[in-house]
Structures are given as structure tokens and as C-alpha cells.
């Protein structure tokens, strides 16, 4: 037992030791998974399926939020509007997650950045992006990433699973893309 010379317990030390012994508090996904398991064990298959679907939805929301965190802030004098309905459209295109933002200047200039991951469309675009030069598109590097550039669009495939697409003025797009963490994006959600 820990004692001070006066005989009192070292309260902060005991509090820290007792907190370390407590189990970690469960989150909503864990609660749903536990509930699904309990329903399954009780023979209530439909309730188990419902809870599993709710857990899946929460995980997709978490994955979407983590992808959206890669969208850069608006440059000085610009505003940013995030499209919160992006994943609804992806569900009709085979799934995956996405994030999208429109950037608007005070002068009316507009740029759209779209991120899509783990979607069949991303896989189908990879051949075009990887062979952009052979297809007559201009290519350039931003950081260590190669972008295909054509008709006011810049596209890159990050980590073979995340499509980054910028639409609008290419110079403005370069400035925004240069702020992005492509290394982190390549492993997001893993």
C-alpha cells in the first residue's frame, strides 16, 4: 500500500490504478455488434440482421468522415461547401465511399474536388489515369502523385483505390491539391 509519511493514501496513484482496471467503454458500433450477437444467440435472426446493417451504416459513416478529412480548407478569400449527399449517389454506382466539396471565390470562380474510394468506377478509371500520356492527356506531378490533366480536370489514383478529381481552373486546383496528404489518403480506413 502506498503511504505518505503522514499515513494518508496517495489518492492520485490509486485513482489512476483503478481507472486502468476498468474496461474500455464501448462505442455505438460495438454496442450494435454485441446486440446482433445476442439476438442471434436468442434465435432472432431479423433483429440480428437489422443491428448488423445499422453497424455497417455507422462504419461507412466513419469511413466517409475519415475520407472527407482529406479535403483541404478553402484558400483565403474562398468558401467551401461540402456535399453531404455524396454517398447516396455512390450507392447506385456500386458502393464505396466519397467526399466532395465546392470551393467558391468572391469573384465567382468555382472549383470542385471529389474523392472516391473502394468503388468499381475507381477501378475502371485506373487504366485511363495510369496510361494518360499514351491516351494523349497531359500529365503532371503534385508531390509524388501523377495527375492526368485534360479539359479543366485533374485526376489521380492514390494507393490504387482513391480517385482524386478536381474540376475547374487547373492553377487553382494545383494549389488545393498541393495541400492534400496523399500518403495518409493511400491508407485511410485501414
Amino acid at each position: 500500500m502506498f503511504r505518505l509519511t503522514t499515513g494518508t493514501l496517495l489518492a492520485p496513484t490509486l485513482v489512476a490504478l483503478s481507472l486502468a482496471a476498468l474496461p474500455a467503454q464501448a462505442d455505438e458500433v460495438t454496442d450494435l455488434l454485441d446486440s446482433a450477437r445476442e439476438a442471434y444467440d436468442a434465435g432472432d435472426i431479423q433483429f440480428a440482421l437489422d443491428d448488423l446493417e445499422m453497424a455497417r451504416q455507422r462504419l461507412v459513416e466513419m469511413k466517409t468522415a475519415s475520407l472527407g478529412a482529406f479535403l483541404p480548407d478553402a484558400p483565403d478569400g474562398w468558401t467551401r461547401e461540402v456535399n453531404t449527399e455524396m454517398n447516396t449517389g455512390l450507392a447506385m454506382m456500386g458502393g464505396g465511399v466519397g467526399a466532395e466539396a465546392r470551393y467558391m471565390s468572391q469573384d465567382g470562380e468555382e472549383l470542385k474536388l471529389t474523392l472516391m474510394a473502394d468503388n468499381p468506377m475507381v477501378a475502371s478509371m485506373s487504366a485511363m489515369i495510369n496510361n494518360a500520356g499514351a491516351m494523349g492527356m497531359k500529365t503532371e506531378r503534385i508531390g509524388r502523385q501523377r495527375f492526368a490533366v485534360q479539359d479543366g480536370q485533374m485526376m489521380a489514383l492514390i494507393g490504387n483505390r482513391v480517385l482524386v478529381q478536381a474540376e475547374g481552373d487547373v492553377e487553382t486546383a494545383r494549389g488545393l491539391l498541393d495541400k492534400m496528404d496523399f500518403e495518409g489518403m493511400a491508407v485511410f480506413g485501414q
Side-chain angles (χ1 to χ4, degrees):
M1 185 173 285
F2 301 103
R3 295 188 184 274
L4 290 174
T5 54
T6 60
T8 59
L9 291 173
L10 291 173
T13 303
L14 288 178
V15 170
L17 288 172
S18 65
L19 288 177
L22 293 175
Q25 186 174 351
D27 64 6
E28 184 179 9
V29 172
T30 304
D31 291 344
L32 287 165
L33 292 172
D34 289 344
S35 176
R37 178 61 189 250
E38 289 170 13
Y40 174 78
D41 288 345
D44 191 344
I45 303 300
Q46 186 57 54
F47 193 88
L49 285 170
D50 290 347
D51 274 1
L52 287 173
E53 179 57 27
M54 288 173 60
R56 189 188 84 61
Q57 288 172 0
R58 297 306 178 272
L59 288 169
V60 168
E61 290 168 6
M62 292 166 61
K63 191 174 179 184
T64 299
S66 70
L67 182 61
F70 291 101
L71 291 167
D73 291 332
D76 289 339
W78 287 63
T79 59
R80 180 180 87 165
E81 183 179 294
V82 175
N83 177 359
T84 58
E85 302 297 320
M86 175 76 181
N87 280 331
T88 304
L90 285 177
M92 293 182 277
M93 297 186 323
V97 294
E100 181 178 84
R102 287 193 179 280
Y103 298 83
M104 285 111 4
S105 74
Q106 294 171 347
D107 303 337
E109 185 179 345
E110 197 170 303
L111 181 97
K112 181 170 77 171
L113 269 182
T114 305
L115 310 176
M116 285 190 282
D118 305 328
N119 176 283
M121 189 173 107
V122 172
S124 69
M125 305 261 318
S126 67
M128 180 186 77
I129 293 168
N130 290 333
N131 297 303
M135 297 177 69
M137 292 184 195
K138 181 181 168 188
T139 60
E140 63 180 76
R141 289 217 183 265
I142 296 179
R144 298 188 58 85
Q145 297 301 317
R146 187 172 53 129
F147 279 79
V149 181
Q150 183 177 23
D151 299 328
Q153 289 191 348
M154 298 181 75
M155 294 181 288
L157 188 61
I158 312 299
N160 291 320
R161 63 186 275 254
V162 182
L163 175 68
V164 176
Q165 184 175 6
E167 297 177 49
D169 179 68
V170 174
E171 283 300 315
T172 305
R174 278 189 202 105
L176 283 175
L177 294 169
D178 194 43
K179 295 178 181 181
M180 296 178 79
D181 176 11
F182 296 123
E183 288 180 25
M185 190 183 300
V187 296
F188 99 97
Q190 295 180 3

